Amino acid sequence: MIHTVKIDDNTRNGKKIINNLRRYRKGVEFENPAATGIVPEGYMTAEEFEKETTKIIIERCKEHGLL
């Protein structure tokens, strides 16, 4: 059976758990979206984020008469 677990590596306990899991060569696999390039569902790439925010900023500026 495979379990999917979310660990916050910004916390002290999260870092400890990850360090302990890295000791095991078999049976533990890490999926890192930054390394694989696969964007998780609900996330945007940097390019998508830039396009979307630029569009929103232009709309807001037009609403307030700045453009």
Side-chain angles (χ1 to χ4, degrees), residues 1 3 5-6 11 13 21 24 27 29-30 34-35 39-40 42-45 51 56 62 64:
M1 182 182 289
H3 299 275
V5 178
K6 294 182 181 182
T11 64
N13 288 338
L21 288 174
Y24 301 101
E29 180 182 336
F30 288 91
V39 181
Y43 283 72
M44 290 184 182
T45 63
K51 287 178 187 176
I56 292 170
K62 286 180 180 179
H64 296 286

Side-chain angles (χ1 to χ4, degrees), residues 20 23 26 36 45 48 56:
N20 287 336
R23 295 180 189 169
K26 294 181 181 178
T36 62
T45 63
E48 292 171 335
I56 292 170

Side-chain angles (χ1 to χ4, degrees), residues 1 6-7 11-15 25 29 31-33 40-41 44 46 51 61 64 66:
M1 182 182 289
K6 294 182 181 182
I7 301 170
T11 64
R12 185 178 51 153
N13 288 338
K15 288 177 186 176
R25 302 242 181 236
E29 180 182 336
E31 293 179 4
N32 185 350
E41 186 178 328
M44 290 184 182
K51 287 178 187 176
C61 288
H64 296 286
L66 299 172

